[in-house]
Amino acid sequence: MYLSLQEVLRPDRLESCLELLADDAAFLAGGTHINATCPSHITRLIDLQALPLRSFLRAEGQLTMGALVRLSALVERELHPGHSALLQAASAERNLPIRNQSTIGGRIARQRADGRLYTALLALNAQVEVARAAAEPRWLPLADLAGTGLSDAIVTAVAVPAAQVSAYSQFSQTAVDAPMTDAAVARSVDGKWRIASGGHGADASGVVSLDAAAALL
């Protein structure tokens, strides 16, 4: 299958991007997903690269990132030890061209259980800022967005709360395959543990929270 493009637009305002969306249009962040799937009904691409969504801020242990921050930036940045799961999940993407092009917002918008970073963000209780046409952007827990559909929305930012410790691991057949199964764990500053899982299986993505006492049993 090939894209049947008639237009590629690159507005520099969020509102303009949302106004241009139609049934035959799609948002383009890093492009790794749409280049791989080539949906034939898409005739218009709305390129988000001109939007100012590349901020990378750390304050009081919380990490807030613009949606156009690439996976390679997570590998290159010095992250707080509590956010190690993000570094490990991004590093697990061994395909370097994809790591250098794929964006955080794009990975979230895909809502794929085998997205590596998605699993790490679930464990870290990430909050996501989502913008839709004719509405103010809203911050929502990533866990609440699962299965809601983001085709009419733009993920603009991700906030990762402070954590004491976190880790990510996966099992894949080869170094470049998407994980057959993966998991991430994080302990928040109040001692609560969150465990998230993903993978190729149906409904594989999920998260469970445990208080400190239960985690020790």
Side-chain angles (χ1 to χ4, degrees):
M1 296 176 67
Y2 297 93
L3 290 173
S4 303
L5 292 182
Q6 298 176 13
E7 286 185 296
V8 178
L9 306 170
R10 183 179 281 193
D12 58 5
R13 295 175 59 251
L14 181 63
E15 295 81 2
S16 300
C17 291
L18 291 165
E19 290 169 0
L20 290 168
L21 187 62
D23 291 340
D24 62 343
F27 293 127
L28 178 72
T32 56
H33 177 59
I34 200 164
N35 283 332
T37 57
C38 295
S40 58
H41 71 284
I42 298 301
T43 63
R44 175 192 293 176
L45 282 181
I46 305 165
D47 190 342
L48 306 180
Q49 290 298 318
L51 299 180
L53 302 178
R54 293 181 175 82
S55 58
F56 202 103
L57 306 173
R58 286 172 288 196
E60 299 181 355
Q62 176 169 294
L63 176 62
T64 304
M65 301 172 287
L68 294 180
V69 170
R70 302 185 189 277
L71 298 189
S72 56
L74 292 177
V75 177
E76 296 163 1
R77 293 270 184 167
E78 184 176 344
L79 299 181
H80 185 278
H83 296 146
S84 294
L86 296 179
L87 169 63
Q88 294 161 356
S91 299
E93 183 62 76
R94 303 296 178 83
N95 187 318
L96 295 181
I98 289 180
R99 185 198 294 179
N100 291 335
Q101 194 67 19
S102 186
T103 65
I104 295 172
R107 286 297 174 105
I108 292 171
R110 285 173 59 189
Q111 295 190 307
R112 288 276 298 276
D114 61 355
R116 293 188 178 92
L117 192 72
Y118 198 89
T119 302
L121 289 169
L122 276 176
L124 286 160
N125 198 23
Q127 308 289 306
V128 180
E129 187 180 47
V130 176
R132 286 187 167 90
E136 290 295 319
R138 296 179 58 199
W139 282 97
L140 299 167
L142 176 60
D144 290 354
L145 289 174
T148 60
L150 291 172
S151 59
D152 64 338
I154 297 175
V155 174
T156 56
V158 183
V160 185
Q164 293 183 11
V165 65
S166 68
Y168 169 88
S169 186
Q170 68 165 23
F171 173 75
S172 296
Q173 290 182 316
T174 73
V176 295
D177 283 339
M180 296 179 65
T181 185
D182 66 358
V185 61
R187 183 176 183 176
S188 63
V189 293
D190 62 1
K192 180 170 287 188
W193 289 88
R194 286 173 62 88
I195 302 170
S197 65
H200 276 311
D203 300 319
S205 184
V207 62
V208 62
S209 296
L210 303 171
D211 60 31
L216 295 174
L217 295 179

